Amino acid sequence: MASGLQPAAGMPAKNSAGKETRWIMTGDKLDRTVEDKRALVRKLDAAGWGMLFIWIGIATLLRIGWGVGFLGIGIIMLAVQLGRMRFGLRVEGVGLVMGTLFAAAGVWELVKTRLGQEPVPGGLWPILSIVAGVALVASALLRKRR
């Protein structure tokens, strides 16, 4: 734009392709356009899914076991959320919870294999069910009204 002026927050603007976009203000600085953020989200999601399928293929071909397989899936899911955070995008709660659960299941399986028995009587699933239920109830109680 001429003379270094930028559109005000929320004001429509045309990008180089002629499509209308909106500028976003964060603090006092101009941030990426909504369109740029959507493109970044699509790239991160595609990279995450790609890494996930590659990992599943490698884990299956090498027959590395459930523990390492689950742990790898959890790490990939958490890495995608870390990427979202790094680029200033909203972290997805579901991805964060599922990544943590897969990582926990992987560690559990590795410990179980090492010990030759369940680390806690009754197994992992009852514990994960309780944790997931508490998290859902807490999120419902703490959620802000829109």
Side-chain angles (χ1 to χ4, degrees), residues 3-133:
S3 70
L5 296 175
Q6 299 292 331
M11 296 298 299
K14 299 281 184 181
N15 66 10
S16 60
K19 292 185 178 180
E20 186 175 295
T21 61
R22 296 195 179 270
W23 296 93
I24 300 171
M25 293 293 281
T26 55
D28 294 336
K29 297 182 180 180
L30 191 61
D31 201 2
R32 292 183 190 91
T33 63
V34 172
E35 185 177 312
D36 291 342
K37 283 193 174 195
R38 286 184 185 145
L40 184 56
V41 166
R42 284 192 298 272
K43 285 181 182 181
L44 281 172
D45 286 346
W49 279 106
M51 288 187 299
L52 189 66
F53 282 113
I54 290 167
W55 175 246
I56 290 171
I58 290 169
T60 304
L61 283 173
L62 298 179
R63 299 174 189 211
I64 59 174
W66 288 103
V68 176
F70 283 158
L71 185 59
I73 290 170
I75 289 170
I76 290 168
M77 293 180 80
L78 292 172
V80 169
Q81 297 311 310
L82 184 65
R84 293 176 72 90
M85 188 170 58
R86 166 68 177 86
F87 288 109
L89 301 170
R90 185 178 58 84
V91 173
E92 294 176 327
V94 171
L96 196 59
V97 169
M98 293 302 295
T100 302
L101 291 177
F102 270 105
V107 169
W108 186 278
E109 286 296 318
L110 291 171
V111 170
K112 184 172 84 171
T113 301
R114 184 88 159 154
L115 295 176
Q117 65 182 18
E118 292 282 346
V120 175
L124 176 66
W125 298 116
I127 294 169
L128 289 181
S129 295
I130 292 167
V131 169

